[in-house]
Each structure stands twice: as C-alpha cells, then as structure tokens.
Amino acid sequence: MKLEHVNLTVRDPKATAAILCDVFDWTVRWEGESIHGGYSVHVGEAESYLALYAPPVDIQNAESSYYRAGGLNHVGIVVRDLDLIEARVKAAGFVPTSHADYEPGKRFYFEGPDEIEYEVVSYA
C-alpha cells in the first residue's frame, strides 16, 4: 500500500499549484470543476499528488490545526537537494524555519500559501 494523495482546501488552487510546481518541480496532473461546485487542481508526480480544492464561497482560517481534531499539521515532502529547494522556497517569498539535522536526514519547514505548513526533508 501507498499514499496516493491528500486533499487540501485553499483559496486559489491555480496560484498554490504554480508555487508548488516551481518549488518542487511538480506538474499539474488534472484541474477542473469538482465537488460542491468548487474547483480543484492536482499537482505532484506520477504516483502521488496534492489535490488543491477551493469551494465556491470565501473561506476563513480556523484556529491552529495543532489544537483541532482532524487538523492538518503539515505536509512532508522528500527531496534530493535540500539546499536547492530552500533557495526556491525563499525565492517564492516564504521563510524556511526549524532547520534540523536528525537521524536519518535533514529538514526544514515553511508556511506556504493559505498557512499550510510544509516539511521538506532529505535523506541524501
């Protein structure tokens, strides 16, 4: 078994997809109208992706996900070149934080569009 995708609610799926494609060298796998009259963009690789969904109404941020049952705390992305991805994250206007070396790799985090936190990790 493997994880195929995670579906995230965002304000602008196309804009979020463009940022994630630039940072992680991903591609748009599909986009179009989706559930409840919303719009979705699927970005990622051949076997896994993030489904970025926007409902047809304005959305509001809730309190911290770390204190809410069912909250999404972060999305972990494995990369080969941590320094390259960190440079892309900075170029996209986001701030890398919480750098750590740990067994078996290195990582950092950044808060991307819609306050979704990403953990970027390399096991190289």
Side-chain angles (χ1 to χ4, degrees):
M1 288 186 237
K2 65 179 177 175
L3 180 66
E4 180 200 32
H5 75 274
V6 174
N7 189 309
L8 305 172
T9 299
V10 300
R11 288 183 180 84
D12 186 341
K14 289 183 179 186
T16 300
I19 291 166
L20 296 177
C21 286
D22 285 347
V23 169
F24 296 115
D25 285 331
W26 286 348
T27 59
V28 173
R29 297 169 33 120
W30 176 86
E31 68 178 281
E33 293 183 19
S34 57
I35 193 167
H36 307 301
Y39 195 84
S40 291
V41 179
H42 295 180
V43 296
E45 298 177 318
E47 296 188 17
S48 66
Y49 63 95
L50 294 180
L52 307 171
Y53 169 78
V57 297
D58 286 339
I59 56 175
Q60 304 297 319
N61 286 347
E63 63 186 64
S64 172
S65 65
Y66 283 92
Y67 296 97
R68 184 177 61 247
L72 173 72
N73 297 318
H74 65 262
V75 175
I77 310 293
V78 176
V79 301
R80 288 190 180 116
D81 188 336
L82 197 66
D83 294 333
L84 173 67
I85 301 305
E86 183 170 3
R88 290 179 181 173
V89 166
K90 289 177 181 176
F94 301 104
V95 179
T97 63
S98 303
H99 294 77
D101 292 352
Y102 70 106
E103 188 60 39
K106 296 180 179 185
R107 67 178 174 208
F108 70 86
Y109 294 80
F110 72 97
E111 188 174 288
D114 294 296
E115 300 176 10
I116 295 172
E117 184 177 61
Y118 295 86
E119 176 185 5
V120 184
V121 61
S122 177
Y123 299 113

